[in-house]
Amino acid sequence: MKKREPKPEPEAKKPLYMKSASEVGAGAVVEEMVEEDTELLELRARRMAMLKKKQEKTHELKKEGHGIYRDITEKDFLPEVTQTQFSLVHFYHEKFQRCQIMHDKLGAISKRVVQVKFMKIVAEEAPFFADKLGITVLPCIILFNNGVGVDKIQGFEGLSHGDDFPAVRLEAR
């Protein structure tokens, strides 16, 4: 009787991570991944350039007085309003409680919305502009676009029926 030789055991399967690219036929997949990586790197570079440009613009605006809420005088009014694209001026009275509420809201917003220059002026100290701009109720906020008034809020008109309203409602306006 012939002795049977044992059958050779089948070769154990290699885990995928141990196989070469040629064994899995991944040449095309690898090329595709490299192309995708290149596209992602290009996209990332473009996005980084955009963010850098935006940061530089923000820095320039802050040097021009944006990002803060500050007092101006009547003689500063025209140069401040006409030399920037977007500016907001709050006409107020120092002893009015509602003007103080508006100060608090505008101070918080000015730090977030750097594209707009936020300023305040005592209405009694700027009678010429208060008259020309038709200010009859305080607080009064006027938004200017290149020196032209484009929006006006007198009192808390459209913001609230009382003294309490969220700053985002004013910001959205």
Side-chain angles (χ1 to χ4, degrees):
M1 226 184 186
K2 275 187 168 178
K3 228 177 173 185
R4 275 200 249 177
E5 289 186 29
K7 290 184 181 177
E9 289 187 25
E11 204 174 297
K13 278 190 164 182
K14 285 185 190 176
L16 189 59
Y17 67 87
M18 294 183 76
K19 292 184 179 181
S20 68
S22 61
E23 289 178 305
V24 292
V29 174
V30 170
E31 287 178 20
E32 188 176 316
M33 288 173 64
V34 168
E35 285 177 20
E36 285 179 12
D37 282 350
T38 304
E39 289 175 20
L40 287 174
L41 288 173
E42 290 171 1
L43 179 64
R44 182 176 186 271
R46 284 194 307 267
R47 180 69 178 143
M48 290 298 285
M50 283 175 30
L51 288 172
K52 185 175 181 180
K53 186 176 179 181
K54 184 178 178 181
Q55 186 177 21
E56 288 170 356
K57 177 74 173 169
T58 299
H59 183 69
E60 288 299 315
L61 288 173
K62 284 186 176 186
K63 283 184 1 185
E64 295 172 7
H66 292 246
I68 58 172
Y69 179 53
R70 62 189 178 86
D71 277 302
I72 58 169
T73 63
E74 187 174 37
K75 78 173 191 164
D76 297 330
F77 181 83
L78 276 178
E80 291 286 354
V81 168
T82 57
Q83 292 177 1
T84 188
Q85 183 176 3
F86 295 110
S87 56
L88 181 139
V89 180
H90 174 210
F91 288 83
Y92 73 99
H93 190 283
E94 294 172 342
K95 295 183 180 179
F96 288 2
Q97 180 185 1
R98 285 189 156 199
C99 291
Q100 186 57 48
I101 292 168
M102 197 62 80
H103 283 319
D104 296 341
K105 308 286 183 189
L106 292 173
I109 294 170
S110 68
K111 294 174 182 148
R112 291 191 308 264
V113 184
V114 182
Q115 302 85 350
V116 178
K117 186 183 268 190
F118 286 80
M119 298 164 285
K120 56 186 173 178
I121 188 167
V122 177
E124 291 177 326
E125 295 175 6
F128 177 78
F129 292 111
D131 182 52
K132 288 293 180 191
L133 295 169
I135 297 169
T136 57
V137 177
L138 295 179
C140 181
I141 299 171
I142 301 178
L143 177 67
F144 295 90
N145 183 352
N146 291 318
V148 177
V150 294
D151 194 12
K152 183 195 296 190
I153 300 172
Q154 295 196 83
F156 287 178
E157 167 189 316
L159 300 173
S160 172
H161 296 294
D163 289 351
D164 190 31
F165 63 91
V168 292
R169 187 174 298 157
L170 179 59
E171 190 175 341
R173 172 93 189 251

